[in-house]
């Protein structure tokens, strides 16, 4: 359990916040997968016993993305595209549950994961089935609220890959247009909602976790500073989502998001 840093919130478990989009012409689009069925059924082999012991994940089949998709009346085949902020162990474990989906990720992240796996961070079992990868270079002439942006390949839906560096070699956010507004899934660019408030405050435990996991400290802090500017200047147009903040998820659910 994680304790909040101010009154009004109850202790909560960290989450793996995934988004499921139902599009007009591109089928279902899943942003992040969280852990998958293989992880739940054989965690010490697929995830690694050291990671399981440290993270103490909730290993429930009903929590996996595939089971939640099925509860909504869909099947794995309906998920045609998966966008990943990065390939950390807890963000892509569900890939084998959607074997026919195109998997969108920054090229630098895929290269780093393939070079370093198996490691505490990357587990090759998550892509041993040979996903249909769609890789993106970080350079682009497109711009999104001052950020570099890569438009999703092969989709008519307005989905963008936004490099948000510092956490991993090819960490990105995924921006989705919803009418006149945007949602930006920031992955692990921040862990706690107060980190992207103008009067920002870190969470002692979550800050320790993200600091020990970062690949570039100054770049990560710079990314968070830019996200704060985004909230300050365009908070009425863009909703930020962290992968792991339980209180942020509760607030979004209460607001019907």
């Amino acid at each position: 359990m994680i304790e909040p840093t101010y009154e009004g919130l109850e202790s909560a478990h960290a989450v793996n916040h995934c988004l499921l989009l139902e599009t007009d012409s591109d089928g279902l689009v899943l942003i992040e997968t969280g852990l998958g069925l293989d992880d739940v059924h054989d965690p010490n082999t697929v995830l690694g016993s050291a990671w399981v012991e440290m993270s103490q994940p909730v290993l429930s089949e009903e929590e996996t993305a595939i089971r939640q998709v099925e509860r909504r009346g869909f099947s794995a085949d309906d998920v045609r595209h998966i966008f990943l902020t990065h390939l950390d162990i807890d963000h892509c474990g569900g890939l084998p549950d959607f074997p026919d989906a195109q998997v969108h990720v920054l090229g630098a992240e895929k290269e780093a994961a393939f070079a370093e796996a198996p490691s505490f961070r990357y587990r090759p079992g998550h892509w041993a089935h040979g996903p249909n990868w769609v890789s993106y270079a970080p350079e682009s002439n497109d711009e999104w609220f001052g950020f570099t942006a890569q438009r999703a390949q092969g989709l008519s839906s307005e989905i963008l890959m936004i490099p948000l560096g510092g956490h991993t070699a090819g960490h990105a956010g995924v921006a989705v247009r919803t009418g006149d507004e945007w949602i930006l899934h920031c992955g692990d660019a921040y862990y706690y909602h107060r980190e992207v408030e103008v009067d920002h405050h870190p969470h002692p435990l979550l800050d320790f976790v993200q600091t020990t996991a970062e690949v570039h400290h100054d770049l990560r802090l710079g990314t968070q500073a830019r996200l704060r500017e985004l909230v300050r200047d365009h908070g009425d147009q863009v909703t930020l989502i962290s992968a792991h903040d339980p209180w942020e998820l509760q607030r979004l659910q209460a607001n019907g998001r």
Side-chain angles (χ1 to χ4, degrees):
M1 297 289 282
I2 307 172
E3 300 290 335
T5 61
Y6 59 97
E7 295 183 358
L9 299 178
E10 297 183 355
S11 301
H13 290 286
V15 297
N16 277 345
H17 190 168
C18 306
L19 294 179
L20 183 67
L21 312 176
E22 189 174 0
T23 70
D24 293 332
S25 58
D26 300 311
L28 297 183
V29 176
L30 183 61
I31 299 176
E32 308 278 64
T33 71
L35 299 180
L37 295 177
D38 290 346
D39 302 316
V40 170
H41 296 156
D42 191 7
N44 289 331
T45 299
V46 183
L47 300 173
S49 57
W51 189 88
V52 172
E53 182 178 357
M54 183 204 74
S55 302
Q56 297 294 305
V58 175
L59 298 171
S60 167
E61 186 169 314
E62 293 306 305
E63 288 286 319
T64 62
I66 180 60
R67 293 295 181 250
Q68 295 194 55
V69 166
E70 290 171 346
R71 285 203 299 273
R72 286 158 175 80
F74 300 106
S75 69
D77 292 340
D78 294 317
V79 177
R80 291 165 52 185
H81 299 273
I82 296 173
F83 285 80
L84 299 173
T85 63
H86 59 304
L87 288 166
D88 267 358
I89 194 169
D90 53 334
H91 290 257
C92 68
L95 286 182
D97 300 329
F98 306 95
D100 297 323
Q102 291 190 345
V103 180
H104 303 252
V105 67
L106 285 192
E109 182 68 10
K110 181 170 175 279
E111 291 174 8
F114 277 49
E116 296 177 25
S119 66
F120 191 78
R121 161 161 263 160
Y122 300 123
R123 304 300 292 180
H126 288 157
W127 52 82
H129 61 289
N132 182 6
W133 297 102
V134 181
S135 299
Y136 298 79
E139 299 81 13
S140 172
N141 293 325
D142 287 334
E143 186 179 74
W144 181 82
F145 294 105
F147 289 80
T148 298
Q150 285 277 12
R151 295 191 173 273
Q153 300 175 24
L155 283 82
S156 59
S157 306
E158 198 159 3
I159 301 176
L160 309 175
M161 297 290 288
I162 312 291
L164 299 176
H167 180 65
T168 62
H171 187 275
V174 183
V176 180
R177 181 186 284 278
T178 59
D180 295 330
E181 299 179 0
W182 289 85
I183 295 173
L184 177 62
H185 195 308
C186 297
D188 287 358
Y190 70 97
Y191 277 43
Y192 186 49
H193 56 277
R194 299 196 78 181
E195 291 176 317
V196 291
E197 294 176 352
V198 175
D199 183 20
H200 59 282
H201 300 277
H203 186 287
L205 175 59
L206 295 175
D207 192 53
F208 172 78
V209 173
Q210 65 181 330
T211 300
T212 56
E214 68 192 8
V215 298
H216 196 299
H217 182 70
D218 291 342
L219 183 56
R220 181 180 65 80
L221 294 184
T223 292
Q224 289 188 356
R226 295 185 68 198
L227 290 174
R228 284 192 290 274
E229 293 175 358
L230 179 64
V231 172
R232 181 195 66 199
D233 298 337
H234 304 287
D236 59 335
Q237 298 171 269
V238 182
T239 297
L240 302 191
I241 292 175
S242 163
H244 300 304
D245 186 328
W247 304 289
E248 184 182 71
L249 175 58
Q250 291 169 10
R251 185 183 73 244
L252 291 170
Q253 290 174 331
N255 292 335
R257 300 301 295 268

